[in-house]
Amino acid sequence: MSGSKVISVLNTEMLAVNGGTPQLTASATATAQTFAPSVWGDFFATYAPPNSKRSEKWTRERAEELKVQVRSKLLKAKSSSSAADMVMLIDTLERLGIDNHFRHEIAAMLHRVHREQQECTAGSGDDDDDDLHITSLQFHLLRKHGFRVSAAVFDKFIDSKGSFKASLSSDTRGLLSLYNAAHMAMPGEEALDDAIAFARHHLRSIQGKLRSPMAEQVSRALDIPLPRTPRRLETMHYITEYEHEPAFDGVALELAKLDFELVRSLHLRELKALTLWWKDLYNSVKLSYARDRIVETYFWTCGIYHEEEYSRARIMCTKVFGLMSLMDDTYDAHATLEECHKLNKAIQRWDKSAVSILPEYLHVFYIKLLNNFDELEDCLEPTEKYRMSYAKTGYKQLSEYYLREAQWSSDRYMPSFAEHLNVSVMSSGFPELAPVVLLGVRDGDGAATAEAFGWAAAVPALVHASAELARFLNDTASYRTGKSDKGIPNTVECYMAERGVGGEEAMAAVAAMAESAWRTINRECVEMVDRADHLLPAARLVVNLTRMLEEIYLGGRDGYTVGADIKDLVTNFFLATPSQFN
């Protein structure tokens, strides 16, 4: 069954679950409320997955048997395979979404690949590899995992005129790998700008002539380069494409499909519980002006960490994200300036007695907010409870920035671009979400240490760059659709006013700043290995949070505000089986 047929069938199921009443579109409700209603209704609260032919017990036992076989292959590859074979194997496991089961083996293999590359660079080893695909893949994976590797590895593909060799234009796989690898660029690496331009030009020129699955892989990369693609979404595609790869391994594919099935089953159970939680919260606070987007929120969270061991983290992060969204919409879409001041005052006090400050319509929301934070703290172990202070501080901080923007709106104030960015980067919510991402993580791999919380809360360069991306992509989408919040000028409009340029030129400038932010993120991940490699696990989760921005705002859409824009994607993510993805 194709993906489109799956979506058609599921639309029919959703009508039945919702009493046969179709979900209204955004345009049909524009005069009735600020945001369109949820496209999901109660679907996930009542959805019962079809019975599987195999029990969960059998699936888990079979998966464990396959892990043993894959681990054996990894150990053999580490001791006897070439660097080329090792990076292809690692790339396969990562794109199939099963690398989390073999972290130690993969780390050991990458250290060997990096060591051999350094030996070649120093002239003490043999480097006769002129395969663009392998060189690019090696560069991509090493940088992705924080290894310092020079862009000079691509010099051997440059001709005497300083351009990439013309003969490479027909190497589709090499061009695709080069294009993806070059997006691991750090600030100042102009040579990788040339690599991106060269690869993009030739990939576009041959795009219509490619066969499946290369055609789909090139199309996806031109939309979102692989280093910026949410890992679980890449797995959804690659799991159906892998059997057509030259080095196809049936054991790895079977494990990937079983693992996907187990994880998806857990996601559906979590989503049901979260939908019921949100339904109770949303109906009780009666803030009808606020976005009803729990499914989209949980989808975003799954992009940060989809693995089974992150179940508690997903639930806690989704709940805080949802509570932030209710506050955001209160400031942006409904409250008067006086009410904004009162709400901020109550949030800063963080005490139930402060409810008397608030207008009556916010009483239930405020009490529910405090109660939910207390319940989240109850989910933590005694040694973990300190973490909640970071979530509360972030929520209070976010309120302060929302209030400042509300004041700008009331005063019809046009800030300078720099002044706007100083506030709006923080109001994007990303600096406040960075510690929340770690909130429910069980500290097995060193991601959620006390030092990691301090690092995330201090808004280091990596977190700030992620917040810039959030702001730039959000504001570009808002400008394109003409839906800027409450009359507040966004970064595109501030740039236009300050520079005296048109919308297209301003959006191009903001897009260049977004690209610069990604390069800062790349640099920080590599330099973190030298400065504080123990913080890298936490940093990677923040980067995963950032990758979801590219999908949510793909093509200038806002898939969080307008849930219909990503409905098909979310449908496939939670409901389609691997055989139905394409």
Side-chain angles (χ1 to χ4, degrees), residues 80 90 101 141 181 222 236 244 276 380 382 388 421 500 504:
S80 60
I90 294 168
H101 301 299
L141 287 174
L222 291 174
M236 284 173 54
H244 302 291
L276 291 170
L380 297 172
M388 284 306 302
L421 199 60
E504 290 301 319

Side-chain angles (χ1 to χ4, degrees), residues 412-431:
R412 298 184 181 278
Y413 176 64
M414 174 64 78
S416 68
F417 182 82
E419 184 182 8
H420 187 288
L421 199 60
N422 187 50
V423 173
S424 64
V425 162
M426 299 301 293
S427 72
S428 72
F430 260 57

Side-chain angles (χ1 to χ4, degrees), residues 170-414:
S170 59
D171 180 4
T172 305
R173 185 175 292 274
L175 288 170
L176 178 58
S177 294
L178 175 65
Y179 180 76
N180 284 324
H183 278 89
M184 296 301 298
M186 297 189 290
E189 292 187 320
E190 288 80 7
L192 294 182
D193 292 337
D194 296 338
I196 291 173
F198 173 81
R200 181 192 290 121
H201 170 75
H202 289 291
L203 288 172
R204 283 178 173 169
S205 68
I206 61 177
Q207 194 173 2
K209 307 170 187 176
L210 299 175
R211 300 174 64 180
S212 183
M214 182 59 71
E216 290 81 6
Q217 292 177 12
V218 167
S219 179
R220 290 200 304 275
L222 291 174
D223 278 342
I224 305 175
L226 188 58
R228 302 175 188 178
T229 299
R231 296 176 62 247
R232 185 70 167 177
L233 296 182
E234 173 61 18
T235 294
M236 284 173 54
H237 297 291
Y238 196 65
I239 211 168
T240 65
E241 299 168 349
Y242 176 57
E243 61 184 310
H244 302 291
E245 295 285 3
F248 163 66
D249 182 337
V251 172
L253 181 59
E254 184 183 358
L255 175 58
K257 289 182 176 180
L258 294 179
D259 188 75
F260 196 99
E261 182 181 327
L262 289 167
V263 172
R264 186 192 59 184
S265 178
L266 177 58
H267 287 173
L268 286 171
R269 294 196 297 272
E270 292 173 0
L271 184 51
K272 180 174 184 175
L274 284 165
T275 301
L276 291 170
W277 166 81
W278 177 257
K279 181 181 178 181
D280 175 70
L281 175 67
Y282 192 79
N283 290 342
S284 63
V285 299
K286 300 187 187 309
L287 306 182
S288 59
Y289 54 79
R291 286 168 288 188
D292 181 3
R293 298 293 182 268
I294 192 61
V295 175
E296 291 78 8
T297 302
Y298 179 69
F299 168 68
W300 197 325
T301 304
C302 286
I304 306 171
Y305 23 42
H306 66 268
E307 299 91 343
E308 288 187 288
E309 59 263 34
Y310 289 108
S311 179
R312 184 181 68 163
R314 279 192 297 274
I315 292 170
M316 297 184 78
C317 184
T318 300
K319 288 186 175 183
V320 177
F321 197 141
L323 291 165
M324 285 181 172
S325 186
L326 289 175
M327 177 173 67
D328 183 9
D329 291 341
T330 297
Y331 276 102
D332 282 349
H334 189 81
T336 64
L337 182 60
E338 180 183 0
E339 290 170 345
C340 288
H341 277 283
K342 290 178 177 179
L343 176 57
N344 182 59
K345 184 177 180 181
I347 287 174
Q348 300 311 316
R349 280 180 54 179
W350 204 270
D351 184 270
K352 290 182 180 178
S353 65
V355 72
S356 60
I357 299 172
L358 296 168
E360 187 174 352
Y361 77 91
L362 290 175
H363 283 192
V364 177
F365 164 65
Y366 185 72
I367 296 300
K368 288 280 188 179
L369 169 66
L370 269 58
N371 286 343
N372 270 279
F373 268 71
D374 288 343
E375 290 168 8
L376 289 171
E377 186 170 349
D378 290 340
C379 295
L380 297 172
E381 300 296 329
T383 57
E384 300 173 331
K385 291 189 183 297
Y386 74 90
R387 300 177 179 186
M388 284 306 302
S389 65
Y390 289 98
K392 291 176 184 177
T393 298
Y395 202 92
K396 292 178 180 180
Q397 182 183 58
L398 193 55
S399 175
E400 294 274 16
Y401 284 106
Y402 287 161
L403 176 60
R404 195 177 307 185
E405 291 183 332
Q407 188 69 57
W408 282 355
S409 177
S410 177
D411 296 343
R412 298 184 181 278
Y413 176 64
M414 174 64 78

